[in-house]
């Protein structure tokens, strides 16, 4: 029987469906208005469920923020977050004293390991124009041996993320931003050192794919049994090996088969997540991801006792100075200034 390479196609939910080694994937897109002096929206918050505002009203949400949209201090343990910000900015603060402001193409790769608190706020810096935001947050599991490593984050700044460019027989272009993995001669920057992605044999890939109308591209196959998910989130008509992939649907693919991507009449954007499965038990309780229930209970008790180092910032919704550009200060004091 011929292998079509397509195991399943289904409509995307919230969050998007994932496979081992990935745990979670969300696509946030908000059309925030002009900002006020406190870096929040210069608009009324009336009618919003402040603290739990996930309903798109007037094109945007406050999430868990009260004055500035975003996610105030919360804990993580046992996995990694990969935050790829396409448009807009994120202010990061954490319980280790590390901080940063990143966005407009940057990626933050954070290993929670044995436990860390962090906040992710969306400062609306522009007072004279709108502040659109688009980002992906992806949760990548850690194997048991690395569940309790020291927390760490790596910055993959936009200018360090390679873009693979391909023109098909008709001169139509496909561009792939390689945030993890390798395409052709383009290899992504190193992820956090204890990541499942740090070992090339695990074939972890995170790609943002942009195809112009009518473009064709064949996904490179692999000999190994890895999980591969492709998410079609912007565009109109799209085909995988002559099978229709409807808009806002995802496909579970057999990475050992050649898959020809064929775009329709509008520019298409897709996200690809792939990797060798960790194949270990997963027990998740909110932001704690361990292997067994007893470990989750122990971690909750540890957080209640230590707060993973406490919170050294003046607010759980900490944002940085309005005049600061993109930067990162790591827990060891190392500082990166981008603009």
């Amino acid at each position: 029987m011929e292998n079509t390479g397509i195991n399943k196609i289904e409509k995307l939910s919230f969050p998007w469906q994932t496979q081992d080694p990935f745990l979670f994937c969300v696509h946030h897109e908000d059309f925030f208005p002009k900002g006020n002096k406190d870096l929040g929206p210069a608009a009324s918050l009336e009618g919003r469920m402040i603290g739990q505002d996930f309903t798109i009203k007037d094109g945007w949400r406050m999430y868990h923020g009260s004055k500035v949209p975003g996610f105030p201090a919360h804990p993580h343990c046992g996995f990694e977050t990969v935050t790829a910000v396409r448009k807009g900015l994120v202010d990061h603060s954490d319980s280790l004293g590390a901080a940063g402001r990143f966005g407009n193409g940057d990626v933050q790769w954070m290993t929670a390991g044995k436990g860390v608190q962090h906040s992710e706020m969306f400062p609306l810096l522009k007072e004279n124009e709108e502040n659109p935001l688009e980002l992906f947050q992806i949760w990548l599991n850690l194997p048991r041996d690395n569940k309790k490593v020291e927390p760490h984050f790596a910055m993959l700044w936009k200018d360090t993320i390679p873009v693979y460019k391909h023109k098909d027989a008709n001169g139509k272009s496909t561009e792939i931003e390689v945030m993890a993995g390798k395409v052709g001669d383009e290899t992504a920057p190193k992820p956090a050192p204890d990541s499942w992605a740090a070992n090339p044999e695990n074939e972890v890939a995170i790609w943002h794919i942009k195809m112009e109308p009518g473009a064709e591209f064949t996904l490179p196959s692999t000999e190994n049994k890895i999980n591969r998910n492709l998410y079609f989130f912007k565009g109109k008509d799209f085909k995988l090996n002559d099978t229709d992939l409807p808009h806002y649907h995802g496909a579970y693919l057999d990475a050992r088969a050649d898959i020809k991507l064929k775009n329709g009449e509008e520019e298409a954007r897709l996200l690809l997540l792939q990797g060798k499965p960790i194949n270990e038990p997963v027990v998740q309780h909110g932001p704690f991801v361990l292997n067994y229930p007893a470990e989750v209970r122990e971690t909750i008790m540890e957080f209640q006792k230590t707060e993973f180092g406490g919170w050294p910032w003046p607010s759980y919704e900490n944002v940085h100075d309005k005049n600061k550009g993109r930067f990162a200060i790591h827990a060891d004091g190392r500082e990166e200034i981008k603009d």
Side-chain angles (χ1 to χ4, degrees), residues 83-108:
T83 306
V85 185
R86 308 289 308 163
K87 289 184 288 190
L89 295 165
V90 173
D91 275 5
H92 166 90
S93 309
D94 69 36
S95 56
L96 304 178
R101 173 172 286 165
F102 62 96
N104 294 323
D106 301 325
V107 176
Q108 186 201 58

CSV table of all heavy atoms in Angstrom, one decimal, residues 83-108:
chain,number,residue,atom,x,y,z
A,83,THR,N,9.3,30.7,23.0
A,83,THR,CA,8.4,31.8,22.7
A,83,THR,C,8.9,32.6,21.4
A,83,THR,O,10.0,33.3,21.5
A,83,THR,CB,8.3,32.8,23.9
A,83,THR,OG1,7.9,32.0,25.0
A,83,THR,CG2,7.2,33.9,23.6
A,84,ALA,N,8.2,32.4,20.3
A,84,ALA,CA,8.6,33.0,19.1
A,84,ALA,C,7.7,34.2,18.8
A,84,ALA,O,6.5,34.0,18.5
A,84,ALA,CB,8.6,32.0,17.9
A,85,VAL,N,8.3,35.4,18.9
A,85,VAL,CA,7.4,36.6,18.7
A,85,VAL,C,7.6,37.2,17.3
A,85,VAL,O,8.7,37.7,17.0
A,85,VAL,CB,7.8,37.7,19.8
A,85,VAL,CG1,6.9,38.9,19.7
A,85,VAL,CG2,7.8,37.1,21.2
A,86,ARG,N,6.5,37.1,16.6
A,86,ARG,CA,6.6,37.6,15.2
A,86,ARG,C,6.4,39.1,15.1
A,86,ARG,O,7.1,39.7,14.3
A,86,ARG,CB,5.4,36.9,14.4
A,86,ARG,CG,5.3,35.4,14.5
A,86,ARG,CD,6.4,34.7,13.7
A,86,ARG,NE,6.5,35.2,12.4
A,86,ARG,CZ,7.5,35.1,11.6
A,86,ARG,NH1,8.6,34.4,12.0
A,86,ARG,NH2,7.5,35.5,10.4
A,87,LYS,N,5.5,39.6,15.9
A,87,LYS,CA,5.3,41.1,15.9
A,87,LYS,C,5.1,41.5,17.3
A,87,LYS,O,4.5,40.8,18.1
A,87,LYS,CB,4.1,41.5,15.1
A,87,LYS,CG,4.2,41.3,13.6
A,87,LYS,CD,3.0,41.8,12.8
A,87,LYS,CE,1.8,40.9,13.0
A,87,LYS,NZ,0.7,41.2,12.1
A,88,GLY,N,5.5,42.7,17.7
A,88,GLY,CA,5.3,43.2,19.0
A,88,GLY,C,6.4,42.8,19.9
A,88,GLY,O,7.4,42.2,19.5
A,89,LEU,N,6.3,43.1,21.2
A,89,LEU,CA,7.3,42.9,22.2
A,89,LEU,C,6.8,42.1,23.4
A,89,LEU,O,5.6,42.2,23.8
A,89,LEU,CB,7.9,44.2,22.7
A,89,LEU,CG,8.7,45.0,21.6
A,89,LEU,CD1,8.9,46.4,22.0
A,89,LEU,CD2,10.0,44.3,21.2
A,90,VAL,N,7.7,41.4,24.1
A,90,VAL,CA,7.4,40.7,25.4
A,90,VAL,C,8.4,41.2,26.4
A,90,VAL,O,9.6,41.2,26.1
A,90,VAL,CB,7.5,39.2,25.2
A,90,VAL,CG1,7.4,38.5,26.5
A,90,VAL,CG2,6.4,38.7,24.2
A,91,ASP,N,8.0,41.5,27.6
A,91,ASP,CA,8.8,41.8,28.7
A,91,ASP,C,8.9,40.6,29.6
A,91,ASP,O,7.9,40.1,30.2
A,91,ASP,CB,8.3,43.0,29.5
A,91,ASP,CG,8.8,44.3,28.9
A,91,ASP,OD1,9.4,44.3,27.9
A,91,ASP,OD2,8.5,45.4,29.5
A,92,HIS,N,10.1,40.0,29.8
A,92,HIS,CA,10.3,38.8,30.6
A,92,HIS,C,11.0,39.3,31.9
A,92,HIS,O,11.9,40.1,32.0
A,92,HIS,CB,11.3,37.9,29.9
A,92,HIS,CG,11.9,36.8,30.7
A,92,HIS,ND1,11.3,35.6,30.9
A,92,HIS,CD2,13.0,36.8,31.5
A,92,HIS,CE1,12.0,34.8,31.7
A,92,HIS,NE2,13.1,35.6,32.1
A,93,SER,N,10.5,38.7,33.0
A,93,SER,CA,11.1,38.8,34.3
A,93,SER,C,11.0,37.5,35.0
A,93,SER,O,10.0,36.8,34.8
A,93,SER,CB,10.4,39.9,35.2
A,93,SER,OG,10.2,41.1,34.5
A,94,ASP,N,12.0,37.1,35.8
A,94,ASP,CA,11.9,35.8,36.5
A,94,ASP,C,12.4,35.8,37.9
A,94,ASP,O,13.0,36.8,38.4
A,94,ASP,CB,12.5,34.7,35.6
A,94,ASP,CG,14.0,34.7,35.5
A,94,ASP,OD1,14.7,35.1,36.4
A,94,ASP,OD2,14.5,34.3,34.4
A,95,SER,N,12.2,34.7,38.6
A,95,SER,CA,12.5,34.5,40.0
A,95,SER,C,14.0,34.4,40.2
A,95,SER,O,14.5,34.5,41.4
A,95,SER,CB,11.8,33.3,40.6
A,95,SER,OG,12.1,32.1,39.9
A,96,LEU,N,14.8,34.3,39.2
A,96,LEU,CA,16.3,34.2,39.3
A,96,LEU,C,16.9,35.6,39.2
A,96,LEU,O,18.1,35.8,39.2
A,96,LEU,CB,16.9,33.3,38.3
A,96,LEU,CG,16.3,31.8,38.3
A,96,LEU,CD1,17.0,31.0,37.2
A,96,LEU,CD2,16.6,31.2,39.6
A,97,GLY,N,16.0,36.6,38.9
A,97,GLY,CA,16.5,38.0,38.7
A,97,GLY,C,16.8,38.3,37.3
A,97,GLY,O,17.3,39.4,37.0
A,98,ALA,N,16.6,37.3,36.4
A,98,ALA,CA,16.9,37.6,35.0
A,98,ALA,C,15.7,38.3,34.3
A,98,ALA,O,14.6,38.3,34.9
A,98,ALA,CB,17.1,36.2,34.2
A,99,ALA,N,16.0,39.0,33.2
A,99,ALA,CA,15.0,39.9,32.6
A,99,ALA,C,15.3,40.0,31.1
A,99,ALA,O,16.4,39.7,30.7
A,99,ALA,CB,14.9,41.2,33.3
A,100,GLY,N,14.3,40.6,30.4
A,100,GLY,CA,14.6,40.9,29.0
A,100,GLY,C,13.4,41.5,28.3
A,100,GLY,O,12.3,41.5,28.9
A,101,ARG,N,13.6,42.1,27.2
A,101,ARG,CA,12.6,42.6,26.3
A,101,ARG,C,13.0,42.1,24.9
A,101,ARG,O,14.1,42.3,24.4
A,101,ARG,CB,12.5,44.1,26.3
A,101,ARG,CG,11.5,44.7,25.3
A,101,ARG,CD,11.3,46.2,25.5
A,101,ARG,NE,10.4,46.4,26.6
A,101,ARG,CZ,10.3,47.6,27.2
A,101,ARG,NH1,11.0,48.7,26.8
A,101,ARG,NH2,9.5,47.8,28.2
A,102,PHE,N,12.1,41.3,24.3
A,102,PHE,CA,12.4,40.8,23.0
A,102,PHE,C,11.2,40.7,22.1
A,102,PHE,O,10.0,40.8,22.6
A,102,PHE,CB,13.0,39.3,23.2
A,102,PHE,CG,12.0,38.3,23.8
A,102,PHE,CD1,11.3,37.5,23.1
A,102,PHE,CD2,12.0,38.3,25.2
A,102,PHE,CE1,10.4,36.6,23.7
A,102,PHE,CE2,11.1,37.3,25.8
A,102,PHE,CZ,10.3,36.5,25.0
A,103,GLY,N,11.4,40.6,20.8
A,103,GLY,CA,10.2,40.5,19.9
A,103,GLY,C,10.6,40.9,18.5
A,103,GLY,O,11.8,41.0,18.1
A,104,ASN,N,9.6,41.1,17.7
A,104,ASN,CA,9.7,41.4,16.3
A,104,ASN,C,10.7,40.5,15.5
A,104,ASN,O,11.6,40.9,14.8
A,104,ASN,CB,10.2,42.9,16.1
A,104,ASN,CG,9.1,43.9,16.6
A,104,ASN,OD1,7.9,43.6,16.4
A,104,ASN,ND2,9.5,44.9,17.3
A,105,GLY,N,10.5,39.2,15.8
A,105,GLY,CA,11.3,38.1,15.1
A,105,GLY,C,12.2,37.4,16.1
A,105,GLY,O,12.8,36.4,15.6
A,106,ASP,N,12.3,37.8,17.3
A,106,ASP,CA,13.2,37.1,18.3
A,106,ASP,C,12.5,35.9,18.9
A,106,ASP,O,11.3,35.8,18.8
A,106,ASP,CB,13.6,38.0,19.4
A,106,ASP,CG,14.3,39.3,19.0
A,106,ASP,OD1,15.1,39.2,18.0
A,106,ASP,OD2,14.1,40.3,19.7
A,107,VAL,N,13.3,35.0,19.4
A,107,VAL,CA,12.8,33.8,20.1
A,107,VAL,C,13.5,33.6,21.4
A,107,VAL,O,14.7,33.8,21.5
A,107,VAL,CB,13.1,32.5,19.2
A,107,VAL,CG1,12.6,31.2,20.0
A,107,VAL,CG2,12.4,32.6,17.9
A,108,GLN,N,12.7,33.4,22.5
A,108,GLN,CA,13.3,33.0,23.8
A,108,GLN,C,13.1,31.6,24.0
A,108,GLN,O,12.0,31.0,23.9
A,108,GLN,CB,12.7,33.8,24.9
A,108,GLN,CG,13.4,33.6,26.2
A,108,GLN,CD,12.5,33.9,27.4
A,108,GLN,OE1,11.4,33.4,27.6
A,108,GLN,NE2,12.9,34.9,28.3
